[in-house]
Amino acid sequence: LMLERTDALVEGIVLIGKALAGKNGTRPVNLGIGIENNKPDAIATVRETIAAKGVNIEVFELRTKYPQGAEKMLIDAATGRQVPPGALPMEVGCVIQNVGTALAVRDAVLEGKVPTTAALTVSGLGIVEPKNLYVTIGTAIGDVIRYCGGAKPNARRVVVGGPMMGFAAYSLEAPVVKATSGILVLTDEELKAPPETACFNCGKCSQACPVNLLPGRLARLSELGRYEDARDLGIEVCMECGTCAFTCPASKPLV
């Protein structure tokens, strides 16, 4: 979207800025867009378009790391401000919108259009022809897979979303919705994981947690049904990014 609809994206950011500035435009607003540094073509294209349009939008070239795109992580990386647990970005003077939302705002305001398509990636070793697509909202996941040549014989699971936070599809008749960002068709090779063993308190999950929780402790409290204690340790701050489970050398399903 950043590469193919750059002009519209910049117009959407400007419109969001006008909304935040208030009715008379009296509230000061600084506009910016964060792009990870593994997308140099997107960074260059967006900067060129901003310069050509003569608007004041800062491009933040961010380190490529997961989960950089989460709003609290992005605010910290771009501004140095930290959103307190349980608080909203507005409480530190920030508003975060994703690229798709900025484009939807632009299309609604300038053309009177409502979102009818989702831009998504179809990938994984189990798909015949991986593609980036615009898909009409409501299309069955199975139809999207067939459009990409179908699934290979060794395909074992279809995941809607990304590899870390996506969910296994309960049916290929389930529809694409406006928030669908990807469809992964995975094979045995991709799903293979070492057998789960006992936690040996190495602390790697705590070191990896982007919101500074104790995932091992929280998982154990949850297993024991001690939900109030888990809440006291901040379990409601968890954004289910999956970093702890991915890092765990004991292959415990911490999330």
Side-chain angles (χ1 to χ4, degrees):
L1 289 174
M2 285 189 288
L3 289 171
E4 295 192 6
R5 298 198 62 199
T6 321
D7 283 0
L9 170 62
V10 172
E11 290 168 356
I13 295 171
V14 171
L15 286 168
I16 291 170
K18 286 184 177 180
L20 293 171
K23 188 173 181 180
N24 299 314
T26 54
R27 187 184 297 120
V29 175
N30 298 315
L31 300 176
I33 178 169
I35 309 175
E36 289 181 318
N37 58 14
N38 66 342
K39 302 173 183 65
D41 48 354
I43 292 171
T45 303
V46 171
R47 280 183 170 152
E48 288 169 9
T49 303
I50 289 170
K53 288 184 173 293
V55 293
N56 188 17
I57 299 173
E58 184 175 357
V59 177
F60 296 96
E61 191 171 335
L62 303 174
R63 261 183 65 200
T64 303
K65 64 177 183 178
Y66 178 82
Q68 186 78 275
E71 63 178 13
K72 292 183 180 181
M73 307 297 107
L74 186 54
I75 289 169
D76 190 8
T79 69
R81 304 176 196 176
Q82 296 188 340
V83 182
L88 296 173
M90 203 66 166
E91 296 187 38
V92 296
C94 294
V95 170
I96 296 286
Q97 302 290 351
N98 63 38
V99 167
T101 302
L103 288 167
V105 167
R106 181 262 175 206
D107 291 345
V109 173
L110 300 185
E111 297 184 17
K113 291 181 178 178
V114 296
T116 58
T117 60
L120 56 84
T121 296
V122 185
S123 187
L125 295 179
I127 193 75
V128 174
E129 298 175 19
K131 297 178 185 291
N132 291 321
L133 302 171
Y134 292 110
V135 179
T136 302
I137 293 169
T139 303
I141 291 169
D143 289 337
V144 179
I145 293 172
R146 281 188 284 275
Y147 182 79
C148 295
K152 295 179 181 177
N154 60 342
R156 291 293 177 269
R157 184 178 300 169
V158 174
V159 172
V160 181
M164 296 291 277
M165 298 179 72
F167 293 92
Y170 60 88
S171 167
L172 294 185
E173 296 303 312
V176 169
V177 298
K178 66 178 182 178
T180 304
S181 60
I183 297 172
L184 301 177
V185 183
L186 306 178
T187 63
D188 283 334
E189 180 184 344
E190 293 169 293
L191 293 170
K192 193 179 296 179
E196 181 183 346
T197 61
C199 171
F200 42 89
N201 297 313
C202 66
K204 285 190 175 183
C205 58
S206 301
Q207 294 169 7
C209 179
V211 289
N212 303 312
L213 297 176
L214 300 171
R217 182 73 59 82
L218 291 171
R220 185 62 180 146
L221 289 172
S222 300
E223 288 170 357
L224 296 172
R226 293 169 55 183
Y227 304 121
E228 294 300 325
D229 292 336
R231 178 178 291 170
D232 291 342
L233 275 182
I235 197 169
E236 291 178 330
V237 176
C238 173
M239 56 184 174
E240 300 181 33
C241 68
T243 308
C244 56
F246 186 82
T247 306
C248 179
S251 299
K252 294 189 72 65
L254 294 169
V255 183

